[in-house]
Amino acid sequence: MAKYKAGVYSGDAQGFAGPLKVNVTVNEEAIEKIDVIIQKETPNVGGKALPILIERALENNSVDIDGVSGASGTTKAFKKAVGKALNRAQGIEEKEISYTPGTYAGEAKGFSAHIQVNVTVSKDTIENIEVTQQYDTAEIGGRAMPIVIKRILEANSTEVDGVSGASLSSNGIKNAVNFALEVASGQREPLAKYKAGKYTSESDDMRVTMTFSKNAIEDLQYDLTSDKLVDQKPAIDKMRQQILDLQEFEFDSISGASQSSQQMRQNTMHILTDASDITYEDRLSESPIKDEMRVNFKNGSLTLEQINAILNAIGEELIFVGPDLRFQYFNEDAKTYTYSTSHLGELYTDCHPPQARGVSRKLAYELATRQRKSYSFWYVDGNGDKLFITYQALFDSQGKYIGLLGWTYNGQGILDTIDEPVRRGSFGDPNIPNKLLNETEEELEEYYATKVENDPGRDYTVRELKRLDRVAAMDGENLDSMSSPTVKKSGKDEEAKASPNEDTISSASLKEDEVQAGKAEIEENQSNDKENDDKQTDTNSSPSTLY
């Protein structure tokens, strides 16, 4: 079947300095000739670029060509004009494009979750595309997006080829841009940023109520529910006004008003969670734990491995006794007393020496019957360390007794360091044991000696930190991130930052570097394109298999 209807077709566009018009001669399969009929480009820039662009279009039999450096306006106009002519040669009906200039949000389903974009348009041109949210696989969808965006901008259309091996991500970005363009042309309602309505959150001393339309914070009111924050009311009023003026949930903390700042931030963040259309699952959609079984809590979820790691890392010896008075659990940090799995299932009272069993029975009775909420005391062990020991009653969401929690903390580290100066934000030497957690040199040696080759969680974290560094660089932030590790200077207890890693690059080169990196990645994996495409087509497949 013939690609074109042979003949001469015209096309036009607005160039850098004025109108640009071309005549394109085609046979049934190829572009034979391109003549520039009208052009007012700068002679030494756009004027010199046009012959080069014509040569490239003829060689590639397409307008999907590289532009000419320093003549981006002329390049865009040339591609648009020749593209119009080729569309006419193919019998494609040309749509009249008319946008209301501005920036518009759009979204569509990607590979893992929704992709969100901001698209800036002039009257008839797509000027810029910014991805504001995407959770697709970094190594495939994440690298394909800059390439697709570049093609859309050059063609001034979403009717462009996607990236092989990343079809769902490619279609997602194109559909998200289409959404924004339909809003810009008045064909659909704007994307809702919030769920319209009134939302309330209450903290210890403050109640906050916020009213939202679909795309704006309309109002914020607060009530102080105690007298503790009355003196900070002028500061709270400033926070309120800043949120309304900037239409953002971030605000500057005000000196001398740390309590009110904390409670305002806590309440507004809770409200944002309720009012936002972005779900917790959306945010987890690319996480290495996405497909692992998680235990859901009121304030989030954890995998079983995470729960076990948290219980073993909190620096306290934990024991749990069920309502049957049987010893049910102890964590791995239980070093003060000698516990073993052989104790599990034994009566809690029998785990105490004979002289203490009467006291333990009395304590368990008072805790279970709500005659006592908790009991704490200091105890000196055989090494002379002061231990802080607590027993607490635990109840379920309906108020029914489910057992008692016992925890022991070796407080000697706190007592030994209590007079040290405050060093918030200043990292100490990582090779010195943390006294507050009662670390030992032997534990540190074992920790640093442990190497794991295949660690998706670690690798994902490192990639994400490097991405955040690049975003921070674009925003002009002075990089001092966690991805630049703390090191110890030789012979001194001073801290220094390692040289910025090679992934920290200037904002000027970022976009092109990402595009080139994406191209290299895709080309390198051409032999696996079909396999990757199959994985993206299968909606039940896990993104973690693509790392």
Side-chain angles (χ1 to χ4, degrees), residues 149-164:
I149 289 172
K150 183 171 184 283
R151 291 174 180 173
I152 293 173
L153 292 173
E154 289 177 347
N156 195 39
S157 169
T158 55
E159 298 296 323
V160 297
D161 292 335
V163 174
S164 179

Side-chain angles (χ1 to χ4, degrees), residues 17 35 54 56 60 69 138 141 196 234 253 272 285 301 309 370 372 383 405 446 455 457 478 482 486 505 523 538:
D35 295 312
I54 290 172
R56 290 176 180 175
N60 287 275
S69 179
S253 295
L272 175 61
S285 58
S301 66
R370 289 185 182 262
R372 181 184 295 274
N383 297 319
L405 175 69
E446 181 181 354
D455 188 345
N478 182 23
M482 295 296 289
T486 301
I505 59 180
E523 290 170 0
D538 179 5

Side-chain angles (χ1 to χ4, degrees), residues 42-79:
T42 309
N44 291 330
V45 185
K48 287 186 176 181
L50 285 170
I52 299 172
L53 295 169
I54 290 172
E55 181 181 355
R56 290 176 180 175
L58 292 173
E59 287 178 354
N60 287 275
N61 196 35
S62 168
V63 289
D64 188 9
I65 57 175
D66 292 333
V68 175
S69 179
S72 58
T74 302
T75 298
K76 185 181 292 187
F78 173 82
K79 291 182 177 183

Side-chain angles (χ1 to χ4, degrees), residues 203 205-210 217 219-222 224 228-269:
S203 55
D205 309 298
M206 181 189 298
R207 182 188 304 110
V208 175
T209 299
M210 299 182 70
I217 304 170
D219 191 25
L220 187 156
Q221 298 294 332
Y222 71 90
L224 299 181
K228 291 182 180 179
L229 302 181
V230 171
D231 292 342
Q232 299 179 24
K233 194 174 185 301
I236 300 172
D237 289 335
K238 289 182 180 180
M239 298 174 209
R240 171 188 177 274
Q241 197 59 49
Q242 188 173 3
I243 291 172
L244 292 174
D245 289 346
L246 300 179
Q247 290 290 301
E248 293 181 357
F249 282 80
E250 289 297 324
F251 55 86
D252 297 330
S253 295
I254 298 174
S255 178
S258 59
Q259 283 186 309
S260 57
S261 296
Q262 182 178 356
Q263 293 196 40
M264 176 64 81
R265 184 167 284 110
Q266 175 187 339
N267 284 317
T268 54
M269 286 298 101

Side-chain angles (χ1 to χ4, degrees), residues 64-138:
D64 188 9
I65 57 175
D66 292 333
V68 175
S69 179
S72 58
T74 302
T75 298
K76 185 181 292 187
F78 173 82
K79 291 182 177 183
K80 184 176 180 180
V82 175
K84 282 184 177 181
L86 294 177
N87 283 341
R88 289 166 180 162
Q90 296 177 81
I92 298 174
E93 183 180 349
E94 190 173 319
K95 297 178 181 178
E96 280 294 326
I97 299 176
S98 180
Y99 305 125
T100 300
T103 299
Y104 299 88
E107 74 170 9
K109 183 71 171 68
F111 173 43
S112 299
H114 277 80
I115 297 168
Q116 291 187 353
V117 297
N118 281 339
V119 179
T120 302
V121 296
S122 58
K123 186 175 180 180
D124 62 357
T125 304
I126 305 170
E127 301 291 350
N128 188 52
I129 300 169
E130 176 192 5
V131 178
T132 57
Q133 173 190 297
Q134 71 89 6
Y135 299 100
D136 284 5
T137 311

Side-chain angles (χ1 to χ4, degrees), residues 172-189:
I173 195 73
K174 289 192 285 184
N175 290 336
V177 172
N178 277 332
F179 188 115
L181 294 178
E182 289 174 5
V183 175
S185 59
Q187 299 177 53
R188 72 184 305 163
E189 289 293 313

